[in-house]
Amino acid sequence: MTPNPLLVTLGLDPSTFGRLEALRDRYFPPERNIVPAHISLFHHLPGEDEDRVGEILAAVTSAQSDFPVRFTALKKTGRGMAISVESSRLAAIHARLAREFAPWLTPQDRQPYRPHVTIMNKADPREAALAFRELGLSWSPIEGEAESLLLWEYEGGPWRRLARYPFTLS
């Protein structure tokens, strides 16, 4: 049996994660809200290479310190909405990992990197438009800190967290 695919996301400081998770809880259709708020870096790495993926993540995070991330603008996604993420350090980490993971990358993970947090998806289009309008009235950018990379196993819908790789450079 082939192991499940792996995902890599950015780990955030607890306060920022809590704010994003609250937005996701508020707006995401409850029956579809089965994973936590997240910023994906890679969506489908081979589960059979988990040890090597972990070694690469550990090497990258040991050379990084925590860094700021900015959650800038709301954007419509058709049947939902997302928050754009800006961080030059995140872009650099993603580029380095993309080089390391190059043999394993799927077409989705080879696309230009546009980090975001999805806070509503696959909702009724009318509900999505109303929610976008509602949140837009009070929206202001969120400042946060990136603290780690997280490795997950895809379990056919839900994810299971396998490891946390903190940024350790002081």
Side-chain angles (χ1 to χ4, degrees):
M1 183 173 171
T2 304
N4 290 329
L6 306 173
L7 302 97
V8 177
T9 65
L10 187 67
L12 301 168
D13 68 275
S15 175
T16 303
F17 172 78
R19 289 181 70 186
L20 297 169
E21 185 72 355
L23 289 170
R24 192 172 168 95
D25 287 346
R26 165 75 177 92
Y27 292 107
F28 218 92
E31 68 279 2
R32 301 197 51 80
N33 195 10
I34 57 174
V35 299
H38 59 277
I39 301 168
S40 294
L41 279 85
F42 297 94
H43 300 87
H44 193 282
L45 297 171
E48 59 271 17
D49 291 310
E50 178 184 338
D51 290 343
R52 182 64 186 130
V53 169
E55 290 169 5
I56 292 167
L57 295 176
V60 168
T61 56
S62 70
Q64 297 291 325
S65 57
D66 293 358
F67 58 89
V69 289
R70 191 160 197 261
F71 301 84
T72 54
L74 286 178
K75 61 182 182 177
K76 291 182 181 183
T77 61
R79 294 180 55 195
M81 60 182 158
I83 303 168
S84 298
V85 177
E86 292 181 4
S87 169
S88 59
R89 295 266 300 276
L90 176 57
I93 289 169
H94 180 270
R96 177 174 174 195
L97 287 171
R99 287 190 300 275
E100 296 281 347
F101 295 153
W104 299 322
L105 295 183
T106 63
Q108 180 183 18
D109 284 334
R110 290 183 190 279
Q111 293 178 3
Y113 187 52
R114 293 182 182 91
H116 63 277
V117 177
T118 302
I119 58 171
M120 180 185 235
N121 195 19
K122 298 183 182 170
D124 174 81
R126 181 172 149 70
E127 289 177 22
L130 290 171
F132 184 82
R133 191 174 311 120
E134 174 188 286
L135 185 54
L137 291 173
S138 63
W139 176 256
S140 61
I142 298 170
E143 306 288 334
E145 287 287 313
E147 297 183 340
S148 62
L149 296 176
L150 304 173
L151 181 63
W152 304 84
E153 176 186 12
Y154 178 74
E155 297 185 314
W159 302 353
R160 181 172 65 92
R161 191 163 102 179
L162 299 175
R164 178 179 182 271
Y165 297 90
F167 300 128
T168 57
L169 186 67
S170 0

